[in-house]
Amino acid sequence: MPGVRVGAALLSVIVMLGAQPPNEAGVAPGAVAPDSRPGEAFADPVVAQLQRTATDVQRELGVLANDIHIAEQAVRDSASALDQARAAREAADAAVRARQADMDRYASAILSSFGRPNQFQVLLLARSPDDFLDGSSLMARVQEAEAEDLAGAINRHQAAVRAEETASHAAKAAADRKADLDRRNGDATNRAAAITGEFRSKLAQTNSSVVAMQQAQRTRNDQTAANWRAYLDKLAASGIRPGATSTEATLQSGERLLVLPEATIRAVTTTVGALGKPYVPQGDGPDAYSCDGLTRAAYGLKGSAAEQMAVLQPVTDPQPGDLVFIGPARYGVQHVGIALDPRTMISADARLVGVVVTDIPADVLGYARPSLTARPAQPVPQRTDSGLVWRCGGVDLPSGGWSGYPNGLIPTSALCPIGIGEHRLRCDAAFSFQGLAAAFSSAFGRAICMTDSYRTFEEQVRLYGVKPALAAVPGTSNHGWGLAVDLCGGAQSFGTAEYAWMRANAGRFGWQNPSWALPGRGREEPWHWEYGV
């Protein structure tokens, strides 16, 4: 793009990578949604700091991208106005020349016959006083008309010249404004590239922190799973058969053991078996779960966390298997887990991006026991906070964002492979795309072709540096949430059998070619498909 500068370091990366990438909007053109989550919504404080830095870059680039769009329109409008003014001035030039030619021919004709008419000639030619008066009046009118025509043409020409000068100044101002914005955008892009350099060092620290956190989480999950297996082994070894309600049993060793209801044991066993599975905003398993999707899968419940709390019998003495409903109240019933003891629960956690063992937070709205008979629906806390929406322990971003990590900084462990090369997506999107890919293969007898899926923040910066007018502002692309793919093999072009098949069938699997990418929308991208957004 003329006027846009790309830093030397960034340019060298692009050269090494070869050909320029295709036009990639990622989100609707002009849409900029910096991540506004508070720090506590992120999985790690270091990640939260990285996101604050990225957000500053996103805001600057987003404002510049919008300003550049406006400036480009102003350049087009001013150029059009200048063309019109220039055409009007040229027409005025022609009119003056034509009028001058008429005057010249008129004067030549008069002078070649008997000279230009004047009052003396009228007096000599008049036969009576009335003839003299009539001739004088006619001569005056002819001379006045000649003068008015020429003066009018000259005035119109002068006005056209002034209008052209004004339009020229406006066009120059618009071009200067665009050039200044291009320079500032180039500088901001270079800063974004520099920040990715900073990110590399910070990400090394972040990755170490995340790896340690994930390892600690796996250790805790494994220990919980081992404890649960030991509990089941004790029941089996003692020949205890759980019933419909909780009881206590005394083992031969003298140990007193809580015997949970059979349904509760099945539910907790299902939940423990899900430990380590990915979190997705809407998921009932068995491959990925939301928080209320996990409790639905474990107990065969229906509805959201709030709807579950409304109909389940509340208890004040939580036992293993009871549901824990989490607030705070101003967020409504935004999270639910399955209690293991008074301090610990299992949940599909949006912040930690998986099914994990966590401490029960302080904002408990209540406990309920699914093994008890359900009750008629009762009122439960409803959201009164007008700020960000929380779900399953994390912020539910309106942009389609998810997880305790920023756009483009999601760890591989939180994403799922789709069976095509190294491509990964958010797990529900990955599983859905696998179904779409299988249907495509059946229709065409060959595998679907893909060029891009999850895109890191650094990759987004690289694309923006190459084509800032066409790429998403870094940190806003749906590729960075693992919710978009770019296709090839025919599907990248309108009018092909592959694209027609995608348009007809992809919706069944939750995928769409977004409206802004369709023909005639100004940013056609037949290859770009998004999941559930």
Side-chain angles (χ1 to χ4, degrees):
M1 183 174 181
V4 176
R5 295 186 297 165
V6 179
L10 184 60
L11 183 60
S12 66
V13 173
I14 295 168
V15 171
M16 286 189 296
L17 290 174
Q20 290 188 351
N23 304 347
E24 297 294 354
V27 294
V32 178
D35 198 330
S36 56
R37 283 179 289 181
E40 63 270 20
F42 291 98
D44 185 272
V46 179
V47 176
Q49 180 57 48
L50 281 178
Q51 177 54 36
R52 283 191 287 272
T53 303
T55 294
D56 291 341
V57 177
Q58 291 161 18
R59 286 200 178 98
E60 181 178 9
L61 289 175
V63 170
L64 283 170
N66 185 63
D67 288 348
I68 287 172
H69 175 74
I70 295 172
E72 287 173 340
Q73 186 60 51
V75 168
R76 288 191 291 270
D77 292 344
S78 62
S80 176
L82 178 57
D83 288 342
Q84 293 176 10
R86 183 174 290 120
R89 191 263 305 155
E90 291 172 351
D93 285 345
V96 169
R97 288 194 299 271
R99 188 60 206 149
Q100 187 64 56
D102 289 343
M103 292 291 292
D104 291 344
R105 285 192 296 272
Y106 171 76
S108 176
I110 292 296
L111 291 173
S112 65
S113 56
F114 49 80
R116 187 176 181 84
N118 54 46
Q119 294 288 346
F120 180 71
Q121 288 177 331
V122 171
L123 177 62
L124 292 177
L125 296 174
R127 297 178 180 179
S128 66
D130 289 340
D131 285 347
F132 175 75
L133 293 175
D134 289 343
S136 297
S137 176
L138 175 61
M139 183 189 68
R141 288 197 299 274
V142 169
Q143 291 175 336
E144 182 181 351
E146 291 173 357
E148 285 181 354
D149 285 349
L150 182 58
I154 292 172
N155 288 338
R156 287 191 295 275
H157 178 267
Q158 291 174 342
V161 169
R162 289 193 298 270
E164 183 181 13
E165 290 175 349
T166 299
S168 179
H169 290 318
K172 184 178 184 305
D176 289 346
R177 167 69 171 161
K178 173 65 167 52
D180 178 63
L181 287 169
D182 284 343
R183 177 189 60 76
R184 290 166 54 194
N185 187 69
D187 291 343
T189 303
N190 290 341
R191 286 196 297 276
I195 284 174
T196 62
E198 295 177 17
F199 274 6
R200 289 191 188 98
S201 61
K202 290 185 177 180
L203 281 173
Q205 177 187 359
T206 302
N207 287 338
S208 298
S209 175
V210 169
V211 167
M213 181 185 69
Q214 291 178 334
Q215 181 56 55
Q217 187 64 65
R218 282 193 293 270
T219 299
R220 190 175 190 184
N221 291 351
D222 292 344
Q223 185 60 57
T224 297
N227 292 343
W228 181 251
R229 287 192 298 271
Y231 170 77
L232 296 180
D233 290 343
K234 285 183 180 180
L235 291 180
S238 302
I240 298 174
R241 297 181 61 83
T245 60
S246 297
T247 59
E248 280 194 359
T250 302
L251 305 182
Q252 291 182 348
S253 62
E255 177 186 359
R256 296 184 62 80
L257 187 66
L258 174 66
V259 181
L260 297 170
E262 182 180 7
T264 301
I265 290 176
R266 285 199 304 269
V268 175
T269 300
T270 297
T271 305
V272 169
L275 285 171
K277 294 291 182 68
Y279 165 86
V280 294
Q282 306 294 333
D284 291 322
D287 299 303
Y289 296 87
S290 65
C291 56
D292 37 22
L294 181 63
T295 54
R296 286 192 294 269
Y299 280 106
L301 301 174
K302 296 180 180 180
S304 65
E307 291 168 331
Q308 293 173 18
M309 184 177 183
V311 299
L312 293 178
Q313 286 288 349
V315 294
T316 57
D317 57 335
Q319 296 179 354
D322 289 347
L323 300 196
V324 189
F325 296 100
I326 310 298
R330 68 180 186 277
Y331 294 153
V333 186
Q334 60 92 8
H335 193 20
V336 60
I338 298 176
L340 298 176
D341 56 49
R343 297 179 302 279
T344 310
M345 69 178 187
I346 295 177
S347 69
D349 191 291
R351 190 177 63 88
L352 299 175
V353 207
V355 180
V356 294
V357 180
T358 62
D359 293 339
I360 295 175
D363 298 314
V364 174
L365 300 177
Y367 297 88
R369 189 160 297 158
S371 61
L372 299 178
T373 303
R375 60 178 180 170
Q378 301 294 312
V380 297
Q382 300 295 319
R383 180 172 180 263
T384 59
D385 190 284
S386 59
L388 295 168
V389 177
W390 286 70
R391 170 168 168 72
C392 296
V395 173
D396 189 10
L397 294 177
S399 63
W402 64 289
S403 87
Y405 300 90
N407 183 299
L409 296 173
I410 301 172
T412 302
S413 60
L415 299 167
C416 288
I418 59 176
I420 301 175
E422 297 298 318
H423 292 293
R424 287 178 172 265
L425 295 169
R426 191 175 80 180
C427 292
D428 50 347
F431 302 141
S432 177
F433 193 85
Q434 289 172 7
L436 172 63
F440 182 96
S441 180
S442 296
F444 291 94
R446 54 184 168 83
I448 197 167
C449 177
M450 180 182 295
T451 61
D452 205 2
S453 53
Y454 171 68
R455 187 180 296 159
T456 66
F457 187 88
E458 185 171 4
E459 290 169 337
Q460 294 177 51
V461 169
R462 178 178 62 82
L463 284 172
Y464 189 83
V466 176
K467 295 188 176 183
L470 299 172
V473 171
T476 67
S477 172
N478 279 324
H479 284 287
W481 291 121
L483 295 174
V485 298
D486 293 334
L487 303 182
C488 48
Q492 78 277 15
S493 302
F494 297 120
T496 64
E498 292 84 356
Y499 180 81
W501 186 92
M502 287 291 296
R503 285 283 290 170
N505 296 278
R508 295 190 289 115
F509 300 90
W511 289 86
Q512 62 173 337
N513 188 207
S515 60
W516 55 262
L518 298 177
R521 302 298 176 88
R523 190 72 68 89
E524 292 83 357
E525 293 190 12
W527 56 82
H528 181 82
W529 294 79
E530 297 179 349
Y531 177 75
V533 292

